[in-house]
Amino acid sequence: MKKIIITREVFDETIECLEAHFDVVSNQEDRLFRRDELLSFISGAEGIQTSGGDKVNDEFLDAAPQVKIIANTAVGFNNIDVDACSQRGIIVTNTPGVLDECVADYAMGLMISACRRIGEAERFLRSGQWKTIYLKQMLGVDVHGATLGLVGFGRIGQAIARRANGFGMRIVYHTRSRVSEDIEKDLNATYVDKSHLLQESDVVLLILPYSKETHHFIGERELAQMKRRSVLVNIARGGIVDDKALIAALKSNSIFAAGLDVYEGEPALSAKFLELDNVVLSPHIGSASESTRRAMAMTAAKNLIAVLANGQAPLNWVNPR
Ligand code: GLV
């Protein structure tokens, strides 16, 4: 039987589904392997179900010379050197579609938390500082009626736009390729260039893939173009924002607040973020609802089955062909 390795804990049903076809070894204790331990764990695998936290590069691939498919349990795949995989004829897959609505829900939550200071308010209350209610207490910025600037307007961006319409937000978007007029009309969304988006938006929300081209898409220059009472939300990937520049902007109140689910070099993040009250921080959990994570793990498993058990093309093929 072909051997499948799963690098992080998954749900029982994922293993049961894979065990009907393969010899499956999964890290069900969810041990945080050192790199050398991970490399020895994947030895002998023909298929590997990775998590978005696994760095798949030449060193990783060398440790599993029989591997034919890397099934990433995430829609993003910037943890994988896809060129290195392609050169070796290894298929890379991801999990698009099943997490769109869940991530869009989370984007709204992070946006509202940052605009209305929910994290800061809870810290204030828990630390026993709340003595009375008064007019100027914890004043935030409105979400309803605000202009939302979406950078990235794929499935998740559009799911966010649908929700934002319910909040009476005005929606502008910027993306590499403009969507059809029908979609724009349906979602009340107007295409604008990057500068206009930064200058007009009350909330700039990032939901674009990370690549060399999008590295530091938001840096000092872009932050300086944003409105003084605006909010930046990043639920896409660390590295799209220059965290150092963002910390400076938050510290000097050149923007109102930020909501972040991702960081440069995560899981490490700058300790300076922790000192700031005007930033809401979460540990890359945009897709973390139980049903969505179950669906993501199962999608990765289905890709493994399609390729290694059925000899078919995978459902979610990432390598350029
Ligand atoms: C999560 O960040 C994902 O890419 O699925």
Side-chain angles (χ1 to χ4, degrees), residues 73-76 95 99 236-237 284 287 296:
T73 317
V75 66
T95 64
L99 46 72
R237 278 293 182 273
H284 203 145
S287 63
M296 289 166 70

Side-chain angles (χ1 to χ4, degrees), residues 44-48 60-61 64-70 88-91:
E46 287 191 51
I48 305 179
F60 184 99
L61 300 173
Q66 293 103 316
V67 76
K68 303 202 173 39
I69 165 169
I70 303 288
R88 297 171 189 236
I90 297 168
I91 290 173

